[in-house]
Amino acid sequence: MSVKRLLIKGGRVIDPASGVDGIRDVLVEKGIISIIDISIQTEDAKVLSAEGKWVVPGLVDMHVHLREPGYEYKETIETGTKSAAAGGFTSVACMANTNPVNDCAQVTEFIRNMAKSKGAVNVFPIGAITKGLKGEALADIAEMAEAGVVALSDDGKCVMNAAVMRAAIEYAGMFGLAIIEHAEDIDLKQNGVMNEGVVSTRLGLVGAPRISEDTITARDISLAEYTGGHVHFAHVSTAGAVELIRFAKQKGVKVTAEAAPHHFTLTDEAVGEYDTNAKMAPPLRESRDINAIIQGLADGTIDCIATDHAPHGIAEKEVEFDSAAFGIVGLETAVPLSLGLVRDGRLTPLRLVEVMSFNPSKILKINRGTIQPGAVADITIIDPDKEWVVEPSQFKSKGRNTPFAGWKMKGKAVATIVNGNVAYEDN
Amino acid sequence: MSEKGFTQKRRLLSAADLTIEDVERILNTASAMKEVSTRDVKKIPPLRGKTIINCFLEPSTRTKTSFEIAGKRLSADVINISATGSSLSKGETIKDMARNLSAMKPDLVVVRSQYSGIPLRISEWIDCAVVNAGDGRHEHPTQSLLDLFTIREKKGPLDNLNISIIGDILNSRVARSNIILMKLLGANITLCGPATLLPVCDISCDNNRPAGLVVDRVTNSLKEAVTGADVVMMLRIQTERLNEKKFPNLREYSKLYGLSPETLKLAAKDPLVLHPGPINRGVEISPEVADGPWCVMLDQVTNGVAVRMAVLYLLLGGGSASNA
């Protein structure tokens, strides 16, 4: 819905960029935040009451799979962005593992054009690091940068050749683009389909060991240090990787990292009896990994929460565990799962907003992540106390693959405002 | 009948589905069934009119034939399907295949798959009894039951027997089922193999959390494992593991873990040597041991038919052993 003036009244504005955490009114005019004050009186504006709710800069998910072009049966830019809006995200960065792969300017432009005409929220494409995600030749990085990619990643696959990775970090640096690494050594992972441990032993499933992530993390930290470039680690899942990243940051190496809600919520016990909805890459780990990730989010080692939203068709999950696709629908359950960290006293509200909005905006160098006069009016209103039950058939995403079906959740985005327009409102 | 009784659930997917009472009942029934196989006319009528589908989605000779003979000796109609001859080879999903089979109203489906967990999934998709005939690296409960039957036949109760399982534990569904049931019956279990073929997790963890495998001892030394053992269970070394670089070559494996008559001298008096077959002669087991007085491999095969007859009979409502 398009309105010229929007007044958000009486909400708790939480903005880490300005350090504000208090009850404020927010006036939006022509897609820009014009005034933030204790009380704003104005006529001629649509009023959204936010009493008892949080008013935060629009959430930014720097890691989603929108599947278009190529896998529209799983998700489209239209359905993926509606899912984002329903989850409280005003901006998403979409990974390059489409078909064709986003490894050239033409595909980048297609995504941007489709997002412009069909997108419910802002879409920022991420280009591939290598042609066809093959880990060999660099993709058309300069042309993609010109076409508007905000980072580079072969996500879904690790760049196994260290020389290629080194070149990518150095080359991408010329365009100010971060390299986002899917850190899983495929030789160590072999054909692992879940975490290597007690549960994989019991189930007779091939395990992917923690070291498959830790060794690549260590390698890429060395490459970042040597080149001076920026490496961002996607979906950190192990205590070892958190420790390595913490050490690298202490040394001043230019690395950043993200964690996904499922990795700080579920252990590999969630696989239960071969539940393919708990199959992801990297896999769900163990309690000590969860604790390390949450600690990393709290102390600044991990910069962002990103969902790794990975919708799949039902037929890709209702198969043998070994053959099932990796990944889950992430956008519509991220807010309540992340709010759990605040309720548990592990993160402050300001820190939560920092990792879900401000930091990803900074890493992607997009002009988002704050509520201040003059900023783009991307705003999320969250009811931290709203209780609801996850019902996959109600997802805006085409995907139904979630391990959280039937979970009672607390907290929800109740309004998502993109460029001053209400993109989603919970009824 | 215990609450956990496998006949009530109409499935035998994991050794963990069985209580001690279940195991006793199956083994006692198997004793009666074994007698049937010694008759001139090896056929009895209890499953007449019942339909059993042997759904073998990976190659198998021994187990498939064993189940087929078991079903036929009980007068059931047994239909065999395989992955290459099924619609899976045409791209049909396992779920669709299962539902189609279910629509034909079989009474029991025996499932063998290269994928762990598939018998469980199929049991959720179809409306009849299901038996796991080996799934991936997970379990092979009827193989374990025939091993128990053979040991009990030769050694009596398993209580406090020292049983050593040697070889590729990591990838062995036979080992998993056996560990669960042998521990249930009170045996002392030792696992032995190269470090690369043993599960990496804490396999001696307590019962207060979901365990991978609960055993009494783990060793990389064959001599240590065989010393004092009442039963030595050798596992087939899967030559495809060579591609996974789990050990350098078969010669070296044989040198470290091949069971010879000399090594067997370290065992307890009159040891039993079991092997699920097929064997690699001269690799995990020397020909002298394989053909020697200790080895009960062929008894295992014979007992396999009896045990499977018992499982099919009990799952299809055959009642107690005395009705056999």
Side-chain angles (χ1 to χ4, degrees):
Chain A
M1 148 185 187
S2 180
V3 288
K4 284 183 180 167
R5 287 155 65 88
L6 180 68
L7 180 61
I8 302 165
K9 279 209 72 80
R12 177 180 171 184
V13 172
I14 303 169
D15 182 44
S18 58
V20 169
D21 183 356
I23 306 298
R24 300 282 191 280
D25 288 354
V26 179
L27 184 65
V28 172
E29 294 180 285
K30 294 179 184 171
I32 303 292
I33 294 166
S34 58
I35 307 171
I36 299 178
D37 211 334
I38 302 294
S39 178
I40 300 170
Q41 300 298 330
T42 183
E43 294 174 2
D44 206 20
K46 174 185 164 68
V47 178
L48 273 180
S49 171
E51 277 181 38
K53 302 182 179 76
W54 293 5
V55 178
V56 305
L59 304 182
V60 176
D61 188 346
M62 65 177 293
H63 189 147
V64 305
H65 298 271
L66 295 181
R67 306 298 191 201
E68 188 177 6
Y71 303 105
E72 288 82 356
Y73 70 96
K74 296 177 193 252
E75 193 81 289
T76 61
I77 289 170
E78 183 177 4
T79 59
T81 54
K82 280 183 176 165
S83 177
F89 293 93
T90 54
S91 296
V92 294
C94 57
M95 287 297 173
N97 58 345
T98 48
N99 185 17
V101 170
N102 184 17
D103 58 6
C104 61
Q106 289 77 9
V107 179
T108 308
E109 280 162 6
F110 168 84
I111 293 168
R112 293 195 65 189
N113 289 336
M114 191 58 81
K116 209 170 176 181
S117 61
K118 303 275 189 184
V121 304
N122 306 301
V123 175
F124 297 96
I126 292 171
I129 298 171
T130 63
K131 272 278 172 202
L133 308 177
K134 289 181 178 164
E136 296 163 359
L138 294 182
D140 298 347
I141 293 173
E143 290 178 14
M144 286 193 296
E146 198 180 345
V149 298
V150 292
L152 300 172
S153 180
D154 277 4
D155 184 62
K157 292 180 174 178
C158 182
V159 179
M160 284 298 293
N161 185 315
V164 171
M165 189 60 171
R166 174 196 171 168
I169 299 168
E170 288 178 332
Y171 198 79
M174 297 196 300
F175 307 96
L177 298 173
I179 293 284
I180 301 174
E181 175 68 296
H182 179 121
E184 274 193 306
D185 185 310
I186 57 168
D187 296 320
L188 284 168
K189 183 183 180 183
Q190 295 194 324
N191 49 349
V193 292
M194 69 172 296
N195 179 54
E196 181 175 273
V198 168
V199 182
S200 69
T201 301
R202 177 168 59 80
L203 295 176
L205 293 171
V206 180
R210 290 184 176 81
I211 49 169
S212 60
E213 180 166 335
D214 298 352
T215 51
I216 293 294
T217 304
R219 182 200 75 174
D220 288 355
I221 286 169
S222 296
L223 291 172
E225 183 175 23
Y226 189 76
T227 60
H230 178 191
V231 175
H232 174 87
F233 293 101
H235 40 50
V236 172
S237 77
T238 68
V242 175
E243 191 57 35
L244 286 161
I245 293 163
R246 182 177 291 122
F247 181 61
K249 284 190 166 182
Q250 283 165 0
K251 281 179 78 182
V253 183
K254 201 172 169 187
V255 292
T256 51
E258 71 192 33
H262 48 266
H263 283 133
F264 60 71
T265 305
L266 299 171
T267 68
D268 57 358
E269 297 286 352
V271 174
E273 296 293 342
Y274 306 96
D275 182 359
T276 54
N277 284 320
K279 180 178 176 182
M280 30 229 145
L284 300 172
R285 304 287 185 185
E286 297 175 34
S287 299
R288 62 188 161 114
D289 301 293
I290 287 182
N291 288 333
I293 290 167
I294 294 172
Q295 183 56 40
L297 279 164
D299 68 18
T301 303
I302 296 177
D303 305 85
C304 312
I305 290 174
T307 68
D308 192 7
H309 175 76
H312 290 290
I314 288 172
E316 288 160 312
K317 286 289 191 181
E318 284 188 339
V319 290
E320 306 87 349
F321 196 90
D322 291 275
S323 311
F326 291 94
I328 64 166
V329 170
L331 287 163
E332 296 176 59
T333 50
V335 162
L337 294 174
S338 304
L339 273 169
L341 302 180
V342 175
R343 275 196 299 275
D344 294 345
R346 305 296 293 267
L347 301 186
T348 64
L350 269 171
R351 177 63 185 161
L352 182 74
V353 176
E354 190 173 42
V355 299
M356 294 190 80
S357 180
F358 182 68
N359 284 352
S361 302
K362 213 165 51 172
I363 290 166
L364 300 176
K365 299 189 173 91
I366 59 174
N367 181 28
R368 298 293 194 282
T370 181
I371 297 186
Q372 292 185 64
V376 176
D378 282 0
I379 298 168
T380 302
I381 302 176
I382 293 169
D383 182 344
D385 300 316
K386 185 180 176 73
E387 293 184 348
W388 60 289
V389 175
V390 178
E391 173 47 66
S393 66
Q394 301 299 309
F395 281 166
K396 305 294 180 195
S397 168
K398 280 191 179 180
R400 300 288 176 261
N401 46 309
T402 175
F404 302 113
W407 276 42
K408 286 179 184 165
M409 297 283 189
K410 192 171 182 187
K412 196 173 192 307
V414 291
T416 307
I417 297 151
V418 181
N419 294 311
N421 298 315
V422 179
Y424 171 80
E425 200 169 355
D426 191 52
N427 297 311
Chain B
M1 170 72 64
S2 66
E3 195 181 50
K4 226 178 142 188
F6 83 112
T7 52
Q8 202 170 34
K9 289 182 176 175
R10 296 202 308 152
R11 63 184 208 184
L12 177 53
L13 305 179
S14 160
D17 288 340
L18 300 173
T19 61
I20 291 179
E21 295 76 28
D22 287 331
V23 175
E24 290 295 331
R25 194 155 162 244
I26 292 168
L27 299 189
N28 290 340
T29 306
S31 294
M33 294 299 178
K34 190 171 178 181
E35 188 272 329
V36 173
S37 296
T38 63
R39 298 179 188 173
D40 285 343
V41 178
K42 302 176 181 59
K43 200 158 183 139
I44 52 173
L47 299 189
R48 186 184 293 151
K50 301 286 185 185
T51 305
I52 295 172
I53 298 179
N54 267 349
C55 184
F56 275 62
L57 305 176
E58 72 166 4
S60 163
T61 304
R62 196 178 320 252
T63 306
K64 185 177 166 187
T65 309
S66 185
F67 268 106
E68 185 171 356
I69 290 174
K72 286 181 171 168
R73 287 200 176 152
L74 294 167
S75 300
D77 296 313
V78 182
I79 289 93
N80 290 309
I81 60 170
S82 60
T84 47
S86 76
S87 50
L88 289 179
S89 61
K90 299 176 191 167
E92 187 180 44
T93 67
I94 187 82
K95 183 177 183 181
D96 286 334
M97 188 209 70
R99 292 173 69 183
N100 276 288
L101 290 182
S102 184
M104 296 179 207
K105 309 297 179 193
D107 297 287
L108 186 146
V109 176
V110 179
V111 182
R112 166 77 156 246
S113 170
Q114 63 179 305
Y115 298 111
S116 301
I118 277 303
L120 172 66
R121 275 294 90 77
I122 286 179
S123 76
E124 292 165 351
W125 293 327
I126 68 178
D127 186 28
C128 69
V130 178
V131 176
N132 178 2
D135 61 329
R137 315 191 316 168
H138 179 223
E139 284 209 44
H140 196 349
T142 60
Q143 174 71 40
S144 175
L145 287 164
L146 74 88
D147 290 341
L148 297 183
F149 187 89
T150 307
I151 294 169
R152 200 173 76 158
E153 201 173 50
K154 307 283 181 189
K155 289 273 180 193
L158 271 75
D159 201 26
N160 281 326
L161 273 186
N162 293 318
I163 301 177
S164 292
I165 305 176
I166 295 158
D168 182 359
I169 315 289
L170 183 66
N171 296 295
S172 175
R173 52 194 174 206
V174 175
R176 271 173 184 70
S177 293
N178 265 316
I179 291 165
I180 294 168
L181 287 186
M182 288 171 175
K183 282 304 292 177
L184 184 72
L185 298 185
N188 304 312
I189 305 291
T190 296
L191 300 185
C192 173
T196 48
L197 293 178
L198 291 170
V200 296
C201 56
D202 174 13
I203 56 177
S204 55
C205 56
D206 63 48
N207 290 317
N208 294 324
R209 64 190 176 104
L213 300 169
V214 179
V215 297
D216 299 281
R217 187 170 56 151
V218 180
T219 175
N220 301 128
S221 160
L222 178 67
K223 283 184 179 174
E224 196 181 312
V226 173
T227 300
D230 299 297
V231 177
V232 179
M233 177 175 285
M234 303 305 293
L235 299 175
R236 182 174 76 87
I237 194 68
Q238 297 168 52
T239 47
E240 57 268 30
R241 302 293 164 210
L242 286 169
N243 298 329
E244 295 176 7
K245 300 179 178 63
K246 297 290 191 183
F247 55 89
N249 53 59
L250 289 177
R251 186 178 60 81
E252 187 162 311
Y253 180 86
S254 175
K255 204 171 158 186
L256 291 172
Y257 297 104
L259 186 65
S260 66
E262 291 71 37
T263 313
L264 204 51
K265 282 179 187 161
L266 299 168
K269 191 171 177 244
D270 300 326
L272 285 189
V273 176
L274 280 78
H275 192 301
I279 63 170
N280 298 303
R281 279 177 184 266
V283 179
E284 70 265 4
I285 191 164
S286 73
E288 293 87 347
V289 174
D291 299 329
W294 320 276
C295 191
V296 291
M297 248 171 35
L298 294 177
D299 298 88
Q300 289 174 269
V301 177
T302 302
N303 292 338
V305 174
V307 161
R308 285 166 183 134
M309 285 172 77
V311 168
L312 298 177
Y313 175 75
L314 292 171
L315 275 175
L316 289 177
S320 67
S322 57
N323 295 334

